[in-house]
Amino acid sequence: MRKLICLLLSLMMLFGVSAMAETAAEDLFTPGTYTGEAQGIFSPITVQITVSANKILGVSINAKGETESLGGLAAEKMSEAILKAQTPNVDGLSGATVSSDAIREAAKSALLQAGADLDKLDANRKDTGAAGEKQEKEIETDVVVIGAGGAGMTAAIMLNQAGADFVIIEKMPYAGGNTTKATGGMNAAETHYQKEQGIEDSTALFAADTMKGGHALNDPELVAVMANQSADAIDWLDTIGAELPKISFSGGASVNRIHAPEDGSGVGAFLVERFSAKLDELGVGIMYDTTATELLTDDEGRICGVKAEGEEYLYTFRCKAVILATGGFGANEAMYTQYRPDLKGTVTTNAPGATGDGIVMAQALGADLVDIEQIQLHPTVEQTTSILITESVRGDGAILVNQSGVRFTNELLTRDAVSAAELEQEGQYAWIIFDQNLRDHLKAVEKYVKSGITVQADTVEGLAELLGIDPEVLAKTVNDWNGYVKDQRDPDFGRTTGMNADLTTAPYYAIKIAPGIHHTMGGVKIDTAAQVINTEGKPIPGLYAAGEVCGGVHGGNRLGGNAVADIVIFGRIAAQSVLDYIK
Ligand code: ADP
């Protein structure tokens, strides 16, 4: 991944023209250096702009508090863009909307201090009409991996280690896709970590749990492969420095099976960072800002190329095989409402690149689709920011209450069940309630507090008042719950997990949440060798797919921990199949 470490960006791109030397009939600015500030997602962002009488000479953006978002990358891109356009009204970075808006706002404030007329700057913008036609470029390679999320990066590492000739392209200016957002861990059975920790498990039980969780809609052969190869995948992750030794319980699993990083960080961000480091070490460069638009086949229907659009070039890759690792379509409202009109207007937790391109490109070659209407809602999404409140918050003891201040479900049922229960409440939302003790033990909560989505009070009654809930009712709900934790029995909804700690440590916290689109379970049909299957039941020669772009593994409901298993296991299988094919 392009490093986001450039958080203190001092991109003073001073042109070789001094303020003194410039002359203009009508001045745009009072020469000097000005600083504007606006609130980002986690911190204030400052933009320092140096101007001559009629030119923006330098832009320096400090987004150092935005470490956990893409704010750093937004700062880098937007400082260049403002210089080029000579106006603060430039495009932001998709996936970093709040940081991008803050950068624009801070830049405007700085320029207003310099006496600028912002409308005039827009009218005179300098970045239009200059781009010209993109040039065509042909590249010969054996394999094109499309998409640098978890599945694509796994495949790329495998291909490199086998000495294959390949390129990996990514349409965003950064890697990671939805994978970055995975918080829990990776399900795997019969692993050496489980054995070392005395956990008895079996691949058969893993497969059975996955089928049950998926309402038996899953393809049992794909599920069996995932379960059988899961321990090997954990071993492989060890070899590339991506160890997942911490094992815990996750909804729908019969035993402790979800494997996570030692330091408690989110599994997705951890893996993307480790995969990126490995690719760097191997000398594999990802072609960013390069969007695959079409798959090419020869007269016999075999894959022979990919068309893609980059910032400067229109590429034609001539290749023998393609691995589609383009992820799902949870960020494409037109596409998910095509299959599920009832989801119109639902917010999404998905990365902006999850637009279903791979599915559409494969369909154009006759690929079959499976379970395409199976879309998973995550029950705890803050609606104004789309921040997903990780399941661990409920797993560590939080409860859900409605606007009347009462619980309405076992909070740790499967995601589809909890989401459905929320949608039955007045206003179709709920409040997730937790305490300081939970905050102290769960790293993720800091992010929520910093981003301003939590409501906080020193007493439960005080919290209720801030939420517009009857204080007596909420106090009774929390008191009752604390009693259930003590007795380890929930007579109201039969909850049996996430009951290790009560809610008695002030201050108390609440976040307003509702369901959001989280994972698209359906996608292109693959066989157990990750070959894409067409509507006649035959493989499309040279076309392989792995990860969220595929359907079949998760059926009607994906268990937490199975997305990462899917990515790593089928990413590896796709690479191995391609290696066999191109031989
Ligand atoms: P998975 O979990 O299956 O690996 P991710 O969502 O993590 O899926 O990653 C998919 C990646 O593919 C994302 O980074 C996304 O931006 C990228 N992608 C999607 N469509 C295209 C495309 N047409 N060309 C290149 N990259 C794409």
Side-chain angles (χ1 to χ4, degrees), residues 10 96 118 160 320 325 347 363 417 430 575:
S10 286
L118 298 179
N160 177 278
K320 297 178 189 159
V347 303
Q363 258 189 310

Side-chain angles (χ1 to χ4, degrees), residues 411-444:
E411 292 85 349
L412 285 163
L413 293 177
T414 50
R415 290 170 177 173
D416 52 349
V418 179
S419 296
E422 280 170 11
L423 294 175
E424 281 168 15
Q425 306 311 304
E426 195 190 335
Q428 303 193 312
Y429 65 87
W431 296 95
I432 185 163
I433 310 280
F434 53 94
D435 71 349
Q436 182 64 34
N437 178 47
L438 191 146
R439 178 178 174 184
D440 289 341
H441 290 92
L442 192 62
K443 228 175 162 181

Side-chain angles (χ1 to χ4, degrees), residues 146-152 169-172 176-179 290-292 325-327 353 357 361 546-549 567:
I146 308 178
I169 66 173
E170 165 56 53
K171 77 171 174 182
M172 303 304 291
N178 270 354
T179 301
T290 306
T291 306
T326 44
D357 304 6
M361 287 188 286
E548 201 176 341
V549 66
I567 292 161

Side-chain angles (χ1 to χ4, degrees), residues 173-213:
Y174 48 85
N178 270 354
T179 301
T180 309
K181 300 186 166 222
T183 47
M186 168 170 158
N187 287 336
E190 301 183 30
T191 65
H192 73 92
Y193 292 122
Q194 281 180 319
K195 286 175 193 151
E196 285 152 22
Q197 293 170 40
I199 300 164
E200 278 193 33
D201 195 4
S202 73
T203 53
L205 189 58
F206 179 13
D209 286 343
T210 299
M211 292 299 297
K212 186 171 168 213

